[in-house]
């Protein structure tokens, strides 16, 4: 089933999925525009049992093979006696590189460029030493609330996880829709489960620590574009890795979604509990919320997305 | 109307609002237990127009009189040409002390102690150099989703803001309920607006930079306890400051809610846009979401609470 | 005595003091090359009493008007009982922006550019998101040890300090030499005292917190160049501020020394105790040491320079 | 030759090398008091050729097996065009845990405790959330300048390095003195080379990344005490590891020097180039300088010690 594109073909593919100009030449929110007020009302109507599932890993504070730059978490005051403030309160401090591979985070649209341009044609020089002057993470400050849909590939395949480096094609996304009795459509938050953290939990970090990742083949871009998704998330990085492409096209799904389509990405979401919940309930659509930190000029936000059933 | 308590009376008052043991001796979630699945379903049913309002200030990256320890935000890679990775993507880094007075954040229950004890009687020594081993912020990892109610004191008084140091008493909370045609009850998220940021926006940071804060008088503790709120938030720090009390009782609302009642607090929420929205819509109850970062052992999380109408 | 230059004249002046190529086209050490082994031997011969004086302010950990981005200093483990590691040791963490105006630091040659070039003609693009690939602070990793000479302008003038904005001209440097009975020559470390911290100590931080600084007028560049100094330090930033020039020529002494002459700079050295010592001893030359941290690609190092008498 | 002590015997040994009270009950500088002005004059007299050797590793900015918490080094402004400030200057930021095993650093006397006490009997509670109120690193703010002596054990043994876990006994220190034709005495800075970084350079980081370290056996404490050294440094951590002892006596050399004798320690000095220099010159004594950052309340300072020949 493997499809190979030349780099030129990939470039052509990228152009074909462009949303530049769709929401006006000044737009910085991209496909978040698909989530209208009506979509949010409809998402709220999905709530039946009131149960919630977090899709976030704990912030990774310990170094590990998939986490070379851990979050630094230090206490400013602890609970031990002997100092005046410590006797009635505690406080802490943390420092984070949100794009880390063990951190659940939302990529801003500015995170990737293609031929010197961001989403909607903004110049990459808009991102300077002060941060991103266009398409920063705070364009989502009002929160991303809509219908979430889980696509659980291992469930469809009848296995525990997809191996690192294994690609997912559009046909398989459609097979998943049939299996889950759900159809991805305009304004949906699509969550793609590969079972990467199930693999980590079962075999340890060494099993996932290489450069290979399970994920979408570049040929899925057209499919994602046609479905008009608002947001894409995965328990890996959405792209299958390695691709056969060189930088800067090394991650065609990243480039195609962030730059061309204006679709924000969630990397490293923990979808294992969600998968169990969906299977148990027999439904794969739910109210989804992600409320990014309001970091003006930021290129990402650590996030705790939550599904409400 | 001013009520003065002796320190002994305050201590007695604190004991009288204790929820220790109410949800079992091992409980670390406190009044979040009031938000049942049914409450979340009911909150979702409030959604009518699908409009959202963020209750978060931007993370404060510049030093200011109310922000002596700003968030450090640095770029790891920018958008300028001339380096291999910079040519297709950017990334950043930030470091934060979440309890800062210009940062919208959720206090963990461990943030305050009283007589060496945390909520539910855990010993304050549970908070050591590694962080909080009990009542850390990650007890709320599944998100706080429920009914939010705005109490807009300046609206009730017919003024623009409450002056720093001005206290709010239970009678005024009830007057606000009548004015807003809403009643605070079990499992509600109560958001108390003092207009502090309206004052800052109108007169500049100097107007709010002292040690005085508008907020609740200690006599409100019983009222909050009887109403069985799940969460309390404010555009200040909930406590009126200064109180007449000494450390460690300097902030009786903090101590009474966090330690005794197990009620988490939101400090420095930006409630100005929410107030306009509620007044315009003529309704003061809405679906509320706050999804804290999953920082195990953390004493707080920066947060972007969102109201959905 | 005020001399005014047009911007064109300043540019011409800069060209006239260039050391580019003097030590080969690949050289990154600049005027540190003036400090030969013989100079170090001679410096050691100056030692008579064995007394030492630190020229460093404490690292500034508290916010202040001259220190908007303080050093962050946090404890990882303290000395309180109740946790295993804390019972036998403590540790900490700090984060620093070395170029801060309340931090004694050594500027790397890469710190300033002029017309897109660093010292010796290297392109400014050599400094990218990874740091400085040319002329970083680690070129001084073997330490800067040589003869130090204090030029104490307030002593010469018979006052306590030079006012912010007050310029020093070459004539006054020569008057100081006569007063101090010392002559600045090839390979010397010249330390220029303006009394800025004496002013801070006497009148408080507000007295020095504006944008004005006492320091050298641009006309001193030729003098510095002819004397072949190896390093220039000051209790301010060497440049008098404001100059009449616009960015990027706003700091002609910085540009002239760092970029054209290849002279490293020490900013914000504390020279008050040194001044007392020199006056008491009746000698203004001593063995000088500055041992920068080996931060590869770094643009500066916090430093504790020490004079040995 | 292996000597084993019971834990009780080690405790007794520690008491026998105490310098508590030797320099007064308020002293916080410990054995640095051995370095008198006369000692510094004598050290300066050792200078013959004027050549310098740095004893510092580069600050470790990349994660590695011996460096799980690397120094964070980020650029605030780089040299790329397109932003106003970047066009004439660059700046950076770094964050560091000075006690890291790949960081050359000076331990403050407060770094270790024994039975709840620091050097000179200060209580360990003097180290609280604000840092060390006694025996912090800034007691050495005037610099440590004196006679340095290299003890090069691999040179004496005729091998390239000492294996991790291999202990050095007093007899071998004396054999080294005879070999090097030098005698360690009062006020000397003793630098102990094990060849640990030669091993790292030859066989890679895996060869040194375990918990074993080459170093001094506890039985050396009496020898160090009798010789009245002022400072001890090593290319490992001075202690042989593992010892047969449990925490808090797991590192008897650390406890004996820092706590009992008041001898500061340099960990992870890079002594390879120094060893070559000493062998080539045929002399093992030189002028030594270490100028710690003035971090008030700090428990350590990253350092760049330098030998001057």
């Amino acid at each position: 089933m493997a499809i190979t594109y030349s780099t030129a073909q990939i470039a052509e593919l990228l152009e074909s999925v462009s949303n530049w100009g769709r929401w006006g030449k000044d737009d910085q929110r991209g496909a978040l525009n698909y989530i209208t007020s009506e979509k949010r009302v409809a998402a709220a109507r999905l709530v039946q049992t009131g149960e919630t599932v977090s899709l976030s890993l704990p912030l990774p504070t310990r170094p590990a093979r998939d986490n070379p730059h851990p979050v630094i978490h230090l206490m400013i005051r602890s609970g031990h006696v002997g100092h005046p403030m410590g006797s009635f309160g505690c406080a802490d401090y943390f420092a984070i590189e949100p794009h880390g591979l063990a951190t659940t985070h939302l990529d801003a649209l500015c995170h990737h460029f293609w031929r010197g341009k961001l989403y909607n044609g903004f110049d990459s020089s808009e991102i300077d030493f002060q941060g991103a002057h266009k398409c920063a993470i705070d364009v989502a400050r009002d929160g991303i609330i809509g219908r979430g849909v889980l696509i659980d590939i291992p469930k469809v395949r009848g296995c525990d996880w997809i191996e690192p480096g294994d690609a997912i094609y559009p046909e398989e996304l459609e097979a998943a829709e049939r299996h889950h009795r759900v159809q991805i459509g305009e304004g949906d938050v699509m969550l793609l489960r590969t079972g990467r953290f199930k693999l980590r939990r079962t075999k340890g970090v060494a099993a996932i620590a290489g450069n290979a990742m399970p994920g979408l083949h570049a040929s899925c871009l057209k499919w994602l574009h046609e479905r008009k998704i608002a947001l894409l998330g995965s328990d890996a990085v959405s792209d299958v890795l390695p691709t056969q492409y060189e930088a800067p096209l090394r991650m065609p799904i990243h480039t195609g979604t962030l730059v061309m389509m204006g679709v924000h990405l969630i990397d490293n979401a923990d979808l294992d509990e969600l998968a169990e919940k969906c299977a148990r309930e027999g439904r794969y659509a739910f109210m989804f919320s992600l409320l990014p930190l309001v970091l003006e000029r930021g290129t990402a936000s650590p996030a705790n997305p939550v599904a409400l059933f």
Side-chain angles (χ1 to χ4, degrees), chain A residues 31-32 34-35 185-190 228-232 262-264:
Chain A
L32 293 181
Y34 284 132
I35 309 182
E186 184 170 327
D188 279 347
V189 174
M190 172 172 155
K228 299 185 176 172
I229 60 168
L231 177 66
L232 175 62
V263 168
H264 287 74

Side-chain angles (χ1 to χ4, degrees), chain A residues 29 128 134 144 165 175 179 183 234 244 256 282 289 305:
Chain A
R29 302 184 76 247
D128 64 17
K134 295 287 179 193
I144 303 175
H179 178 281
Q183 180 119 11
S234 173
Q244 72 263 39
S289 301

Side-chain angles (χ1 to χ4, degrees), chain A residues 58-72:
Chain A
L59 285 178
T61 53
R62 296 183 192 188
R65 285 182 60 180
D66 61 344
N67 183 34
H69 296 97
V71 172
I72 293 170

Side-chain angles (χ1 to χ4, degrees), chain A residues 20 110 112-113 116-124 127 134 259:
Chain A
W20 295 10
C110 66
H112 268 233
F113 329 138
K117 300 295 178 191
L118 313 184
Y119 164 72
N120 218 5
F122 294 113
D123 199 84
S124 71
I127 301 140
K134 295 287 179 193
V259 182

Side-chain angles (χ1 to χ4, degrees), chain A residues 138-240:
Chain A
D138 66 323
V139 306
R141 68 194 308 156
D142 287 332
I144 303 175
I145 301 177
R147 187 177 86 136
V149 178
L150 177 68
I151 298 294
D152 185 356
I153 301 295
K155 183 77 177 180
V156 178
R157 292 195 189 176
C159 61
D160 282 332
W161 56 75
I162 310 297
E163 293 295 333
D166 200 349
I168 298 159
Y169 288 88
E171 294 74 13
E172 198 161 20
L173 299 177
E174 297 191 349
E177 287 184 319
R178 289 189 298 273
H179 178 281
H180 299 344
R181 298 184 188 173
V182 74
Q183 180 119 11
I184 288 180
E186 184 170 327
D188 279 347
V189 174
M190 172 172 155
L191 299 169
L192 177 77
R193 183 171 177 270
T194 69
R196 175 169 167 250
F197 294 116
K198 175 89 170 199
L199 171 55
R200 190 192 204 282
R201 284 164 179 136
T202 307
K203 297 208 169 175
V205 66
I208 69 161
N211 292 319
M213 286 274 189
L216 297 178
H217 186 266
S219 58
C220 295
L221 279 173
K222 269 184 186 297
W223 192 93
L224 297 171
H225 186 239
E226 283 159 9
R227 293 304 181 95
K228 299 185 176 172
I229 60 168
L231 177 66
L232 175 62
S234 173
D235 54 2
V237 296
S238 290
D239 275 278
V240 65

